[in-house]
Amino acid sequence: MKLIFPHKEHKDFELLGDSFTIGSSEESHIQVEAVGMNPNHAKLIKDGDNYSLVVENPASIVTVNGRLVKGSKEVREGDLMIIAQVHCKIEGNNAAEEKDDNRTRIRMALPKYILRGVSGVYFGKTFPLRGKTSLGRHSDNDIFVNVDGISRKHAEITVLADSLQVEDMDSSNGTYVNGEQVKKQEVKIGDEIKLDNIRFLIQSPGMQMDNKATNKKNNSNKSTKKTANTQPGEANNSSSGATKWVVTIIVLLVAAGVGAWSMGLLDKFL
């Protein structure tokens, strides 16, 4: 048996032994750095052919199949455990070695929209948006926002045909779209959603890549335009400088001639 992490917070861990601690401490058997992870967050104990998840610290948030664990909870192969915000489950070593039955495999399509964190501990984190997505401080939510100021079920985002809709679920500190507090509001790509002090952006999966490509293209165009504008300017400056030198020499020659004539030095030549 092994403990797998679908979101790759930790590499798959072979369950060779009877007891395994999970936490942020270096002394833990499975060390995971994540938001809300305590040094010794939980313990996985083998009990015959089954396992139990033990939570000794009441402040440690752990769920099994969406239910909060208090004390201990039996877990079976395939049960979804969320430890702090880390998803994991027990899987047999040969679970991936299924016999090929020649059936067509259906690939899950990319979500049309994603939610990207742009502040606080959620900065840079992305969450796919499909159907209805709940956000809140309780672990039963689709997006678990374990931050002070966030209500147990703070808001809900629903994917519509051509846009999305965000709805505040009677939260204490409100839900905001582009800086304005809302109860229910249609949103689109580029809009900002704020739950208390936590901010997210609505984006499409390839949006970050597109922005980088666009910036690169714009920088290239600016560089080309700058080069094109600079070359004629350099030619004009060179031509202007030569003209100034010619005019200066002519003026000096004329002045010298006038001075010589006024002193009578040119009388013998006239």
Side-chain angles (χ1 to χ4, degrees):
M1 303 293 282
K2 61 184 177 181
L3 191 67
I4 68 168
F5 297 81
H7 298 167
K8 306 302 180 186
E9 293 91 345
H10 192 282
K11 64 182 181 179
D12 295 350
F13 184 84
E14 295 287 343
L15 297 174
L16 302 176
D18 297 325
S19 178
F20 314 91
T21 55
I22 305 170
S24 61
S25 170
E26 293 182 356
E27 298 176 356
S28 298
H29 294 97
I30 305 172
Q31 183 185 8
V32 181
E33 293 288 347
V35 176
M37 184 71 73
N38 293 323
N40 293 301
H41 202 97
K43 184 182 293 184
L44 191 63
I45 299 176
K46 187 175 182 181
D47 184 12
D49 294 332
N50 299 318
Y51 289 86
S52 294
L53 193 61
V54 178
V55 181
E56 298 176 347
N57 183 357
S60 297
I61 304 297
V62 178
T63 64
V64 175
N65 296 330
R67 295 185 177 275
L68 189 65
V69 177
K70 294 182 178 179
S72 66
K73 170 71 175 175
E74 182 182 353
V75 290
R76 300 182 179 88
E77 184 176 349
D79 286 348
L80 177 62
M81 296 174 282
I82 302 180
I83 302 171
Q85 296 190 41
V86 178
H87 292 58
C88 57
K89 59 183 178 179
I90 296 173
E91 185 178 271
N93 290 328
N94 58 354
E97 300 175 2
E98 298 178 355
K99 185 178 179 180
D100 188 0
D101 55 6
N102 294 322
R103 290 185 299 177
T104 302
R105 299 292 188 258
I106 299 175
R107 180 182 299 171
M108 183 177 288
L110 286 173
K112 188 176 181 181
Y113 306 99
I114 62 173
L115 198 64
R116 182 182 297 278
V118 293
S119 72
V121 295
Y122 293 90
F123 180 83
K125 293 184 178 294
T126 59
F127 307 91
L129 296 175
R130 293 187 177 96
K132 287 189 176 182
T133 303
S134 61
L135 301 91
R137 188 164 45 84
H138 196 277
S139 58
D140 286 346
N141 290 283
D142 299 303
I143 300 178
F144 177 36
V145 188
N146 188 22
V147 176
D148 292 341
I150 302 297
S151 298
R152 289 172 63 83
K153 188 169 184 179
H154 198 106
E156 188 174 75
I157 300 175
T158 304
V159 177
L160 306 177
D162 297 314
S163 61
L164 302 102
Q165 178 180 274
V166 61
E167 181 178 359
D168 182 76
M169 307 304 289
D170 297 323
S171 65
S172 299
N173 294 323
T175 301
Y176 296 79
V177 174
N178 298 329
E180 296 185 4
Q181 187 170 3
V182 299
K183 172 59 181 174
K184 183 183 290 187
Q185 173 85 24
E186 188 171 329
V187 292
K188 58 186 183 299
I189 291 176
D191 285 344
E192 180 189 273
I193 296 175
K194 185 165 75 75
L195 313 180
D196 191 41
N197 291 322
I198 304 298
R199 296 184 293 116
F200 299 92
L201 279 182
I202 301 292
Q203 293 186 338
S204 61
M207 195 167 183
Q208 188 178 27
M209 185 180 297
D210 292 343
N211 286 342
K212 288 181 179 179
T214 301
N215 291 336
K216 185 176 181 180
K217 183 177 179 181
N218 289 340
N219 291 336
S220 177
N221 290 340
K222 288 179 181 179
S223 178
T224 302
K225 188 179 293 185
K226 182 178 179 181
T227 302
N229 291 337
T230 301
Q231 290 176 349
E234 289 175 352
N236 291 338
N237 291 338
S238 178
S239 176
S240 175
T243 302
K244 289 179 180 179
W245 277 109
V246 171
V247 171
T248 301
I249 292 172
I250 292 174
V251 169
L252 290 174
L253 290 174
V254 170
V258 170
W261 176 76
S262 62
M263 296 175 62
L265 299 177
L266 299 178
D267 291 345
K268 60 180 179 179
F269 298 104
L270 298 177

